[in-house]
Amino acid sequence: MNIVACIKETPSTTAEKSFGPDMRLERRKEDAIPNPFDEYTIEEALRQQEKHAGSTVTILCMGPATATDTLRKALAMGGDRAVLVSDSALAGSDAIGTARVLAAALQKIGFDLALFGSAAADAYGGVVPSATAEFLGLPLLSYASKLDLSGDSTARIQRAAEIGYNEAEAPLPALVSVVKSINEPRYPSMKGIMASKKKPLDTFSLADLGLDPSSVGGAAARERAISSEKVSTQRKGEMYQGNEGAADRVVAFLIEQKVL
Amino acid sequence: MATSAKVEMGAAYLTTPVTEEHFLTPEKFDEEQRQIQEAAATFIQREVLPKTERIRHQEEGLVPSLLKLAGEQGLLMIDVPEEYGGADLGLVVSGLVAHEMRESSFAVAHGAHTTIGTLPIVYYGTDRQKRAYLPKLATGEYIGAYALTEPGVGSDAMSIRTRATLSADGTHYILNGAKQWITNSGFADLFVVFAKVDDTKHTAFIVEGAWPGISTGAEEKKMGIKGSSTRTLYLDNVKVPVENVLGEIGKGYKIAFNILNIGRLKLGAGTAGGARSALDMAAKYADERKAFGRPLHGFGMIKKKLAHMASDVYAAESLVFRTIGAVEDARVAAGEDRQAQLRAIEEYAIECSIAKVFGSEALAHCVDEGVQIFGGYGFMDEYPISWAYRDARINRIFEGTNEVNRLVAAGTLFQRAMEGRVGLMPAVPEIQAQVASGTAPDFAAADTPAALRESVNLVERAKRAAIYSVMKGAAKFMATMREEQEFLEATANQLITIFAMDSAVARALDAVRSGSTDAHAHELLAQLTVLRLLPEMRAAMEAAITMSTTGDERRAELAKVRGYLGDPELDIVPVQRELAGIVAERGGYPLR
C-alpha cells in the first residue's frame, strides 16, 4: 500500500510572528518546523505502515526550496522518502491553490491512502484536505480520531461527536484528515535523524506536475488576509482577601457562574 | 602535529590575541548536531526524568533497560566506528549528548558505558576484539564498565595490586584482585580491567562479566548519584584468554591516561549541562516564589546569584566546546591511525583538565546557589535541586580529582615550555618590558565592539601578567617543580581563569560580529565572566609571585604586576542586574 502523509512547513509556535505589507506571514528559515498537527499525520502513516507489511510512506510538502530541511526533520520520525513541491510561482498560494498542487502531486506519486492534519498551526484554514479531495474526485474521511484499514480496500474512521462518535468508511484510494487524539507521535531518535539523511528526497516543479503557473500562487489566490491583531493575553481577575466576607463572595461568584 | 590551519596548538590561547581566535561555539553547531542534541534532550525528558525517583532507589533492571533503550535510539553508538556497528559521529556530538543528560545517575551510567567502558576498545582493541565487542556495546546489548581503582589505590593508578598470571599452557591469564567503586558493576557485561603481569607490567584486559570467578559486592551507599551502580568487583582466579589482552603488555597505563583526556572533556560537557539545569530550576523558582510582595528575582542579591550562575554556564560551555572542537579537528586531521589520534588529543591535555575542573566547579557553585535560592525548600528531599546538590559533589573527585587535574595542567605547561612546544619563551622579553614600564598597548582591534573593549584588554593583560608570574616562579622552582604543588596550583588557577575569560570573550566577539539576535546577552555574559574571574586570576598571580620572591623584591614585583594588570572600570552591579533581568524574562539560562 502506498501511504502519503501531506505536511506543511510552519513557523515554530514560539517564534515571534510578523506580517509583510501584503499581510502575508514573514517566514524565516531558522524558525521553520513541520506543522505540529502534522506530527500526528506522520505518526498515523507510520502506524498504518507497521500494520500493513510492504507499505511505503512518502512525506509530501509544498513549500519554499529551503523546506527540504523541514522534510528531513519529518523523515527523522520515519518514512521511506519525501517529495517537495517548490516553485517560485507558488508564493502567495491560497488554500485552493495549495490543494490544486497537492492533488496534482498526489496523482503523480500515486497513492492508496493520503493523510492530512486537520489544520496548520499558522493559518488554521482547515480546508486543504477537502479541497484536495474535490480536485481528485476522491472521498475524504475528515477529523479521524481512529483509522482502520480493512484489507487493502476500505478505510474506516471514527470521528468524535458531541456524544459518542460517528463512524464513516470509504473505499481506497481515499483521503483522511486526522485529529490530535488519534495517536501519540513518536519523537525523532538519533538513529532516525541519521537515517533521514540517506532517504530519497525529490523536488517537483509546477512543470513537473503539468500545472499552469497562473492557476496557482498569489496571482490566482482569491482569498486574502485583511488585517491581523495580537491576541491580548491580559486576563481580568478579582481578588478577595482577608476575613471580610471573602468566602461569601467566592460562593456568590460560583453561583453566578452556575458552578454551584 | 597536523598542518591544517584549523588545528591550533594546545595552550595556544595564552599567546593568541583573543580578538583573533575563532573556534567552535554552541552558536556554530550544524543542523544535524542540533537535531541530535534535541533528540538526546527529548529522550531524557520523556524516558528518564519521569523515572528519577525509581532510578534513585536502584529499581532492579531499570538503569540497564534505559541504557538499552538509549542504545536502540543510537545514543550509545556515537563514538563507535561504522564498520563495527557505530555511527562514528565524533566528539562534538558525543559531547553534546553528554551535555543533555541532566539526570545525574543516568548520566554517570551512560558516561561510564560510552566513554571509559567503550573507548579503550575503540582506541586500543584489535580487529578481532572490536568485532567481538563493539557492535554489542554500540546497541547496549552489552553494558560496559571500567575497573582501575582499588581499595587504597586511586589517583596513583600505577600502584594497583590486581595480578595477572599466565597459565602454564600460555593460553590464559589468571586474574586475582579487587576493584573498588566500579560504576555499572551491578549489571555490566564487560569490564576493562587493569592488572599487573608478573607484578610489574601494568596491563589492560577485556573481561566478560559472565566468566567464572567474577563477582561483585554490595551496592555502596553514596552521598549522591544514588541511582548509579557502584560496587566492588572481585576477581577470583578469572581465566582471561590471551586474545583479550587490550593493547600491549606493560602499557596498560597508557590506555588509562589517554582515555582520561576524552573522559575529562566529556565530563566538562556534562557538568556544564548540569550547571545550566540548576540555573533553570533556580530561575523558575525565583519567578514563582514571592516574598515581601515581589518575586525573588526582584531582589538584588538574588539577581546577583542568577547572573553569576549564568556566567558560570556561559564560560563553562564556551571553554568546553572550544576544546571539543579543537580536539575533534586535531583527531580528524591525524587520520585513521588511532594512536596518532590519541597523540593529537594529548596535545590538548591542559585544556581537557581545565574543562573538567572548571565544569565541575561551575556546577558546584550553581547547585550551591541553587539550593540557597530555594531556601528551606532547597534542603528538602522532594525538591530536585537538593539532589542536584548531592549529585554534583562527585564530579570534583572522579575522572582525576581536581587537584590531580590542576597538577596535570600546570605540569604539562612547564614540560611543554621546556620542550619549546608552547610559545611562552619568545613572548617573555616583550612582556617583561611591558610589565616593567607598567603600560600596556590597547589590545582591542579597531572593530572591537565598544562593550567588549575593556574585557579584551583585561584578558590580554591577564595573559601577560600570568606568563610573567609563572616564569618568575619557574626560574626559582624548576629543579624541584614536582614538589612545589602550591606553586603549581597557583599556576593552574591562572591557566583556568584565563582560559575561561578568553573563551567567553572570544565567543561574545563572535556573536556580535555575526549579528546574533542575542548579541547583547553575550556581551553581558562575557563582561560578567571577566569581572568575576579577574580577581581570582589576580589572587593566583599574586600567590605565585609571593611564593617566588621575598622582601623588597616581593614588594616591587607585586606592585609592578598589580599596576600592569589594573582594575576594571566597568561596574559589576548594573551588568549583573541587567543579565538577571534577561534570565528572569527567559525563565532560565538565556541562550538556547
Side-chain angles (χ1 to χ4, degrees), chain A residues 29 39 69 72-73 76 184-194 196-198, chain B residues 31-32 35-36 39 42-43 46-47 71-75 77-78 82 87 89 93:
Chain A
K29 185 188 173 304
E39 289 179 17
D69 283 356
R72 293 276 175 217
K73 281 183 197 163
E184 179 60 40
R186 67 197 67 189
Y187 56 93
S189 70
M190 196 200 95
K191 262 191 191 163
I193 293 164
M194 300 309 298
S196 74
K197 313 285 170 204
K198 295 178 184 136
Chain B
E31 187 58 35
E32 176 180 297
Q35 278 186 46
I36 294 175
T42 309
F43 170 78
R46 296 241 196 139
E47 315 290 351
E72 279 170 31
Q73 299 207 356
L75 295 171
M77 56 162 40
I78 297 166
E82 286 185 69
L89 290 173
V93 171

Side-chain angles (χ1 to χ4, degrees), chain A residues 36-234:
Chain A
F37 291 119
D38 287 337
E39 289 179 17
Y40 301 84
T41 316
I42 298 166
E43 179 64 34
E44 196 55 30
L46 299 175
R47 289 189 185 195
Q48 294 301 335
Q49 182 184 35
E50 285 158 11
K51 281 189 208 156
H52 297 86
S55 298
T56 59
V57 169
T58 303
I59 300 174
L60 170 64
C61 174
M62 177 185 119
T66 51
T68 47
D69 283 356
T70 296
L71 277 170
R72 293 276 175 217
K73 281 183 197 163
L75 285 169
M77 283 178 72
D80 301 290
R81 67 170 187 138
V83 172
L84 172 66
V85 182
S86 192
D87 198 302
S88 54
L90 284 169
S93 291
D94 64 2
I96 302 299
T98 304
R100 192 187 297 278
V101 171
L102 290 177
L106 282 167
Q107 242 163 358
K108 187 174 164 74
I109 294 165
F111 68 99
D112 302 293
L113 173 69
L115 290 161
F116 292 76
S118 45
D122 50 2
Y124 278 103
V127 293
V128 168
S130 45
T132 309
E134 191 64 27
F135 279 118
L136 289 167
L138 288 173
L140 166 72
L141 299 169
S142 59
Y143 303 106
S145 56
K146 189 168 188 294
L147 170 63
D148 280 311
L149 302 179
S150 59
D152 276 355
S153 58
T154 312
R156 175 187 286 263
I157 66 148
Q158 285 183 2
R159 180 190 300 132
E162 199 162 343
I163 304 167
Y165 53 83
N166 303 322
E167 280 197 345
E169 65 173 40
L172 296 177
L175 288 70
V176 175
S177 72
V178 305
V179 296
K180 281 182 168 185
S181 57
I182 195 166
N183 57 43
E184 179 60 40
R186 67 197 67 189
Y187 56 93
S189 70
M190 196 200 95
K191 262 191 191 163
I193 293 164
M194 300 309 298
S196 74
K197 313 285 170 204
K198 295 178 184 136
K199 293 177 182 174
L201 197 162
D202 298 315
T203 303
F204 293 166
S205 65
L206 285 175
D208 294 331
L209 298 178
L211 286 175
D212 177 358
S214 68
S215 67
V216 295
R222 284 175 292 172
E223 182 189 334
R224 295 206 194 288
I226 310 299
S227 69
S228 81
E229 212 170 300
K230 238 186 179 164
V231 178
S232 164
T233 51
Q234 288 226 325

Side-chain angles (χ1 to χ4, degrees), chain B residues 347-362:
Chain B
E347 179 69 26
Y348 295 93
I350 295 173
E351 286 87 345
C352 290
S353 282
I354 294 177
K356 193 271 177 180
V357 172
F358 192 88
S360 60
E361 292 178 4

Side-chain angles (χ1 to χ4, degrees), chain B residues 9 121 142 155 176 199 207 235 261 267 323 418 455 520 550:
Chain B
M9 296 265 287
I121 301 175
Y142 272 14
S155 297
N176 278 291
D199 290 331
V207 179
L235 301 138
N261 280 322
L267 194 63
T323 307
M418 288 203 307
S455 302
H520 188 53
T550 53

Side-chain angles (χ1 to χ4, degrees), chain B residues 249-573:
Chain B
I249 292 183
K251 299 270 176 70
Y253 63 91
K254 279 193 158 187
I255 301 176
F257 294 140
N258 284 335
I259 297 302
L260 274 181
N261 280 322
I262 304 175
R264 286 165 183 165
L265 203 42
K266 285 215 230 168
L267 194 63
T271 47
R276 182 193 57 189
S277 187
L279 170 57
D280 289 345
M281 281 189 256
K284 193 162 169 282
Y285 185 76
D287 188 51
E288 287 164 1
R289 166 82 169 155
K290 313 249 181 325
F292 307 102
R294 49 175 145 162
L296 293 187
H297 60 61
F299 296 96
M301 277 200 269
I302 302 294
K303 283 184 207 279
K304 174 182 167 187
K305 291 185 199 301
L306 293 172
H308 287 205
M309 290 161 84
S311 79
D312 277 334
V313 177
Y314 187 73
E317 272 183 1
S318 305
L319 70 85
V320 165
F321 284 104
R322 170 187 195 167
T323 307
I324 287 179
V327 164
E328 181 63 0
D329 285 346
R331 187 183 75 88
V332 171
E336 292 297 307
D337 179 42
R338 289 285 175 182
Q339 298 314 303
Q341 290 185 6
L342 284 172
R343 282 193 297 278
I345 294 171
E346 200 274 334
E347 179 69 26
Y348 295 93
I350 295 173
E351 286 87 345
C352 290
S353 282
I354 294 177
K356 193 271 177 180
V357 172
F358 192 88
S360 60
E361 292 178 4
L363 173 62
H365 178 251
C366 286
V367 294
D368 189 64
E369 291 289 42
V371 168
Q372 198 66 20
I373 289 171
F374 273 81
Y377 290 109
F379 200 64
M380 297 298 135
D381 228 29
E382 62 262 47
Y383 282 76
I385 192 72
S386 75
W387 287 92
Y389 182 85
R390 288 161 169 263
D391 291 345
R393 191 63 184 82
I394 188 61
N395 289 292
R396 284 156 58 201
I397 299 170
F398 62 17
E399 219 73 21
T401 62
N402 284 14
E403 288 72 22
V404 163
N405 275 294
R406 283 185 159 86
L407 294 178
V408 170
T412 307
L413 180 78
F414 286 120
Q415 193 190 333
R416 298 239 175 115
M418 288 203 307
E419 293 166 2
R421 283 170 67 195
V422 205
L424 291 191
M425 298 302 190
V428 170
E430 191 207 323
I431 291 171
Q432 281 175 335
Q434 277 185 26
V435 174
S437 71
T439 53
D442 182 2
F443 293 104
D447 63 346
T448 305
L452 293 171
R453 294 190 73 87
E454 180 176 85
S455 302
V456 163
N457 274 299
L458 288 168
V459 170
E460 287 303 316
R461 293 207 297 270
K463 288 178 188 176
R464 285 160 179 79
I467 292 173
Y468 183 86
S469 79
V470 162
M471 285 301 154
K472 195 112 203 121
K476 177 172 175 191
F477 295 129
M478 197 45 92
T480 55
M481 195 62 94
R482 276 175 183 282
E483 292 305 313
E484 303 295 341
Q485 288 206 348
E486 299 86 346
F487 177 72
L488 289 169
E489 184 185 27
T491 302
N493 288 345
Q494 294 180 78
L495 292 176
I496 293 165
T497 47
I498 289 172
F499 192 46
M501 292 189 287
D502 187 63
S503 302
V505 172
R507 176 179 173 191
L509 286 171
D510 214 53
V512 176
R513 280 190 205 117
S514 62
S516 158
T517 49
D518 289 320
H520 188 53
H522 280 275
E523 286 176 347
L524 292 169
L525 286 159
Q527 286 172 341
L528 188 56
T529 300
V530 172
L531 292 173
R532 287 182 59 216
L533 293 182
L534 193 74
E536 279 185 39
M537 179 273 155
R538 187 198 310 271
M541 174 192 74
E542 292 183 3
I545 295 274
T546 304
M547 285 174 210
S548 29
T549 52
T550 53
D552 286 346
E553 188 197 5
R554 178 184 291 169
R555 270 187 292 280
E557 289 296 330
L558 284 174
K560 258 200 282 186
V561 290
R562 281 173 186 154
Y564 176 76
L565 187 55
D567 293 297
E569 283 184 25
L570 188 63
D571 292 330
I572 195 166
V573 172

